Amino acid sequence: MKQLQGRKLLAAEITEAEKALAAGKKKALVQVLDKGYCQRCGSSFSWELFQLPDGRGYCPYCLTLGRVMAGDFLYLFPVHTGENKNVPVHYPHPLSTEQARLSAWVVQRVQKAGDSLLWAVTGAGKTEMVFQGLAEVLAKGQKVAWVSPRVDVCLEIAPRLKRSFPTIQQTVLHGKSSESYQGEQLVVCTTHQLLRFHEAFHLLVIDEVDAFPFTSEIFLQQGAHLAVAKKGHTLLLTATPTTREFTALRQGKLSYEVLTSRFHGQPLPVPQFLWLNNWRQKLLQKMPTRLKKILATQRWLIFCPEIRWLQQAAKFFAAAFPTKKVVSIYANDPQRHEKVVALRLGEYDFIFTTTILERGVTLENIHVLVLGSNQKIFTKEVLIQIAGRVGRSKDYPTGFVYWVHDGVTRSMVQAKREIQQLNRLAQEKGLLLAPKEEEEK
Ligand SMILES: [Zn+2]
């Protein structure tokens, strides 16, 4: 029964015969005075507030995976560690000296129980730095989960892992996935899916740990913790640590390493602020000449603060640039995945999107414009991630980042400052190549 290995499932999710194979079962919800405690996601909640009409309590946090109610049981299934074996790793390109240094650090960290953080700037090539550590754990026959709060990140990483670990069985799990878990040694999934695992993984890699909703949802963090094997290791990956991670680093609670330069040795693109008074109105009436000039050449990823504004802006830009191919992509777009595939093939000139494309998508030869960068949704972390979409490939290592605003915010200033600081650090460490001569236009 491979599909039960390391699982933590409700009675309703398994058959009677499968129940008999469980190593143990426990109450899904425990009531202590006026509080309920959910053993699936580790959350506590008010017992009085969260009751069905028949008086049974339920957990309001992990509802998306099916309701856990008072009286339910969770069945726990053990993990069988496989045989020791040789796990070949295929790298898409050789590691840089810095990447190799951090790869060695990861190898050494993942052998120990605990947590660590790898902070690498956008486009640093952090995924490859984890491969050797991952291979070490897989070679022992232990299980690895590579998870992210964002489906797009999972979908981007899964084929890369498949190419780099051709001998390892892998599955991809998320809310709309057609694949299911059959006891694969390598599981790529969203952080939500971890709630169905119990002490299963000797290595848990949380990619883009600072992404929504992981940062704001404590139940996901607890769920992730419960999915790690007793002596397992959790490796957090991020390009933009949040205050929470910075605090843990400062207090010495997290072992960490930083990579301040991109693998190709060019600095991070520094954003330019573009002031446009009342930008919403102005843009929908007449395209300002300066902006029109900027946008006339090149391909642009254009970020909008709200979905309702997306279509409108796309229409207006399409009218202003009749020869350009324009597309818009948003979270509940029924054609979202098809469009992202087309994007990677270089199909469009102007891509209008919300923050769903802030990370996880790597496009070649792309530049970035943020409309209304002073809106609340554009936090420091989001702005750094967005700027990080530019210049990621070796063939196109530089590019433009414009933030159109009508009033500079603290987030904008902090984001720009952090990018400049990281570039300065990389320069001081001698990690940047000499700047190329600008080509004559
Ligand atoms: Zn729960």
Side-chain angles (χ1 to χ4, degrees):
M1 287 300 192
K2 283 183 168 175
Q3 72 276 17
L4 298 173
Q5 276 196 34
R7 289 297 234 176
K8 177 174 71 182
L9 299 169
L10 291 168
E13 295 174 299
I14 47 177
T15 62
E16 285 301 318
E18 287 171 337
K19 280 182 199 168
L21 299 171
K25 65 173 183 175
K26 58 181 178 186
K27 279 185 174 175
L29 297 186
V30 182
Q31 187 189 355
V32 184
L33 301 174
D34 59 342
K35 284 255 183 297
Y37 176 77
C38 173
Q39 305 228 61
R40 177 162 71 173
C41 72
S43 304
S44 51
F45 53 91
S46 156
W47 197 259
E48 258 172 56
L49 230 53
F50 298 100
Q51 276 184 11
L52 295 175
D54 65 11
R56 279 182 300 166
Y58 67 92
C59 173
Y61 290 98
C62 54
L63 276 176
T64 43
L65 290 175
R67 190 156 47 199
V68 178
M69 285 178 292
D72 282 347
F73 281 94
L74 285 163
Y75 289 79
L76 309 177
F77 297 90
V79 186
H80 301 293
T81 305
E83 303 278 301
N84 278 3
K85 58 187 167 190
N86 181 30
V87 176
V89 188
H90 295 260
Y91 285 93
H93 43 73
L95 297 183
S96 68
T97 317
E98 270 299 277
Q99 280 181 308
R101 178 178 73 81
L102 290 177
S103 169
W105 175 78
V106 171
V107 168
Q108 175 239 322
R109 289 301 306 161
V110 300
Q111 320 273 353
K112 299 175 184 152
D115 296 357
S116 37
L117 174 91
L118 177 54
W119 173 14
V121 295
T122 54
K126 63 177 154 51
T127 307
E128 290 79 13
M129 293 188 262
V130 182
F131 284 176
Q132 199 52 48
L134 210 132
E136 303 283 331
V137 177
L138 292 171
K140 289 184 197 159
Q142 297 169 329
K143 283 192 195 299
V144 174
W146 191 296
V147 308
S148 171
R150 306 285 283 253
V151 179
D152 301 270
V153 176
C154 295
L155 295 178
E156 166 111 358
I157 195 74
R160 291 167 67 188
L161 288 172
K162 215 166 218 168
R163 276 194 297 273
S164 289
F165 296 92
T167 60
I168 299 295
Q169 296 288 327
Q170 176 188 320
T171 187
V172 185
L173 310 175
H174 55 86
K176 289 179 186 143
S177 168
S178 56
E179 293 180 29
S180 64
Y181 173 67
Q182 298 297 326
E184 286 81 0
Q185 210 188 344
L186 178 56
V187 175
V188 180
C189 68
T190 52
T191 42
H192 277 86
Q193 296 295 324
L194 286 180
L195 301 184
R196 291 208 178 103
F197 287 95
H198 172 70
E199 297 177 1
F201 303 105
H202 275 84
L203 174 58
L204 175 66
V205 181
I206 309 185
D207 202 349
E208 306 285 356
V209 67
D210 59 295
F212 178 83
F214 193 74
T215 33
S216 55
E217 300 288 6
I218 308 234
F219 82 93
L220 289 177
Q221 297 164 23
Q222 286 156 344
H225 184 68
L226 296 172
V228 181
K230 282 237 164 66
K231 286 188 179 158
H233 192 88
T234 303
L235 178 65
L236 313 173
L237 305 182
T238 180
T240 44
T242 59
T243 319
R244 194 169 64 102
E245 282 110 37
F246 276 124
T247 310
L249 298 188
R250 260 199 307 274
Q251 294 172 342
K253 286 182 186 160
L254 255 185
S255 171
Y256 74 104
E257 264 291 349
V258 192
L259 177 52
T260 53
S261 65
R262 291 182 150 183
F263 73 95
H264 52 51
Q266 293 299 321
L268 297 164
V270 177
Q272 303 181 52
F273 294 179
L274 210 65
W275 188 75
L276 190 58
N277 191 27
N278 205 356
W279 57 272
R280 261 174 221 250
Q281 289 255 300
K282 282 229 171 95
L283 277 180
L284 291 183
Q285 284 158 6
K286 189 175 177 290
M287 175 85 58
T289 322
R290 192 170 162 212
L291 196 58
K292 196 161 181 178
K293 227 171 149 185
I294 289 172
L295 293 169
T297 53
Q298 323 282 11
R299 289 173 73 213
W300 292 87
L301 196 51
I302 302 171
F303 288 86
C304 292
E306 290 168 45
I307 293 180
R308 66 188 164 99
W309 211 71
L310 200 68
Q311 307 282 6
Q312 234 178 335
K315 227 183 251 171
F316 176 72
F317 275 64
F321 295 95
T323 57
K324 302 273 189 189
K325 282 180 90 177
V326 180
V327 71
S328 57
I329 304 177
Y330 52 95
N332 294 324
D333 191 336
Q335 290 171 301
R336 174 174 166 184
H337 295 301
E338 292 85 337
K339 284 178 181 174
V340 172
V341 171
L343 275 191
R344 292 210 174 100
L345 299 172
E347 281 282 301
Y348 306 102
D349 302 308
F350 290 161
I351 303 129
F352 285 83
T353 187
T354 56
T355 52
I356 58 154
L357 290 189
E358 91 196 15
R359 51 179 100 215
V361 178
T362 294
L363 304 172
E364 279 221 329
N365 192 15
I366 196 86
H367 305 270
V368 156
L369 186 82
V370 179
L371 296 177
S373 58
N374 52 322
Q375 297 295 298
K376 216 173 163 189
I377 187 166
F378 295 118
T379 60
K380 181 193 89 173
E381 290 82 17
V382 169
L383 285 170
I384 293 176
Q385 288 287 350
I386 286 176
R389 295 309 96 204
V390 176
R392 295 172 76 93
S393 77
K394 210 169 181 173
D395 296 335
Y396 301 95
T398 59
F400 300 107
V401 179
Y402 286 101
W403 291 347
V404 177
H405 67 96
D406 48 10
V408 174
T409 60
R410 209 179 139 126
S411 296
M412 289 166 63
V413 174
Q414 286 177 334
K416 184 171 177 175
R417 196 185 298 148
E418 189 168 312
I419 291 170
Q420 288 172 318
Q421 278 171 346
L422 288 165
N423 279 341
R424 210 160 30 239
L425 269 172
Q427 180 80 50
E428 284 166 14
K429 287 186 189 168
L431 301 175
L432 298 184
L433 298 175
K436 281 186 192 155
E437 293 288 317
E438 283 292 316
E439 279 175 39
E440 295 284 328
K441 287 256 167 85

